[in-house]
Amino acid sequence: KAGVTQTPRYLIKTRGQQVTLSCSPISGHRSVSWYQQTPGQGLQFLFEYFSETQRNKGNFPGRFSGRQFSNSRSEMNVSTLELGDSALYLCASSLVADSNYGYTFGSGTRLTVV
Amino acid sequence: SQQGEEDPQALSIQEGENATMNCSYKTSINNLQWYRQNSGRGLVHLILIRSNEREKHSGRLRVTLDTSKKSSSLLITASRAADTASYFCATDARYNAGNMLTFGGGTRLMVKP
């Protein structure tokens, strides 16, 4: 059974550019959530999608957005990149929109903004 | 912002010893989960304990939850060098409202062979 797949694994972008990250959840999982991990702020929740609808959103500026497709694959987009957006972005999938079932995380996309 | 604080921030032990990590949180929760992360890679789900449970076991792992003190502990028995990693607790304070975990700052565990 394939795990959660995140692409690309590594990315280097210049300030002011935009970036799109992709996450393919485990087959059958309908909930996808995104987290940002930085040395200074730790792991922070970005947003969660379930059946193509954003159910929860963390405390991030509007430059951070996402969407989920009918096949449950999700993308997140960051526009007008800042140096502080350099981070490991993690995607997690869950069978249902209930955390009591636990999460499976992908290996992450490491974004470096220069 | 982080809901939980983990203690200690770093722990170094010898192979075969037990490792105990503690997590405190601030609000009432639905469940508390523990994850492991190796060298900045993805998180691996270890164990989940619900708010109405007090103790749970999984292999060499033992988790306790004290909702009155808003704290949890993770015990790894008979540690191995392969247990070297960062360990995070995460809480979900939302009931039937989707998924949104709040993570602690993590404990860096080093197990020396």
Side-chain angles (χ1 to χ4, degrees):
Chain A
K1 180 173 169 180
V4 179
T5 303
Q6 289 189 247
T7 57
R9 286 295 308 278
Y10 302 92
L11 205 50
I12 300 176
K13 288 286 188 178
T14 304
R15 265 186 308 176
Q17 287 186 313
Q18 74 166 18
V19 65
T20 299
L21 311 181
S22 178
C23 171
S24 293
I26 290 173
S27 178
H29 283 197
R30 296 166 64 191
S31 169
V32 173
S33 46
W34 290 87
Y35 292 82
Q36 180 198 63
Q37 184 177 29
T38 60
Q41 298 298 317
L43 281 153
Q44 293 187 287
F45 171 80
L46 279 158
F47 26 63
E48 183 232 357
Y49 289 88
F50 180 77
S51 295
E52 301 178 67
T53 300
Q54 185 181 90
R55 287 171 58 93
N56 293 296
K57 190 175 191 303
N59 188 25
F60 278 82
R63 300 185 297 108
F64 292 80
S65 63
R67 59 178 176 170
Q68 186 180 34
F69 302 95
S70 58
N71 62 358
S72 293
R73 189 177 72 85
S74 176
E75 289 181 347
M76 67 164 282
N77 184 76
V78 188
S79 62
T80 319
L81 283 166
E82 301 176 359
L83 295 180
D85 298 333
S86 294
L88 180 66
Y89 290 88
L90 294 164
C91 162
S93 81
S94 179
L95 183 63
V96 295
D98 180 350
S99 69
N100 282 313
Y101 289 85
Y103 296 79
T104 302
F105 279 80
S107 296
T109 293
R110 184 164 295 282
L111 170 66
T112 301
V113 182
V114 298
Chain B
S1 63
Q2 293 178 351
Q3 150 95 293
E5 295 294 331
E6 293 184 60
D7 170 51
Q9 290 188 330
L11 180 61
S12 181
I13 59 174
Q14 295 294 133
E15 215 168 20
E17 294 181 338
N18 295 341
T20 299
M21 288 159 264
N22 303 297
C23 168
S24 61
Y25 56 91
K26 298 172 184 173
T27 65
S28 60
I29 59 171
N30 183 19
N31 64 65
L32 186 145
Q33 308 178 29
W34 285 90
Y35 288 85
R36 184 185 74 229
Q37 185 177 42
N38 290 86
S39 301
R41 295 179 63 88
L43 298 167
V44 175
H45 182 265
L46 296 175
I47 198 164
L48 180 152
I49 187 165
R50 302 187 184 198
S51 59
N52 61 352
E53 298 175 314
R54 291 297 166 257
E55 188 172 312
K56 208 161 181 182
H57 297 256
S58 177
R60 294 184 296 113
L61 305 180
R62 172 179 171 257
V63 168
T64 61
L65 178 65
D66 187 334
T67 53
S68 66
K69 295 181 179 178
K70 291 187 172 57
S71 68
S72 173
S73 67
L74 171 68
L75 169 67
I76 304 174
T77 60
S79 62
R80 306 166 181 168
D83 294 329
T84 294
S86 291
Y87 292 81
F88 295 90
C89 67
T91 55
D92 185 358
R94 300 171 70 86
Y95 294 80
N96 299 318
N99 300 329
M100 186 171 75
L101 292 181
T102 304
F103 284 86
T107 293
R108 294 188 309 278
L109 173 66
M110 176 174 288
V111 181
K112 300 176 183 176

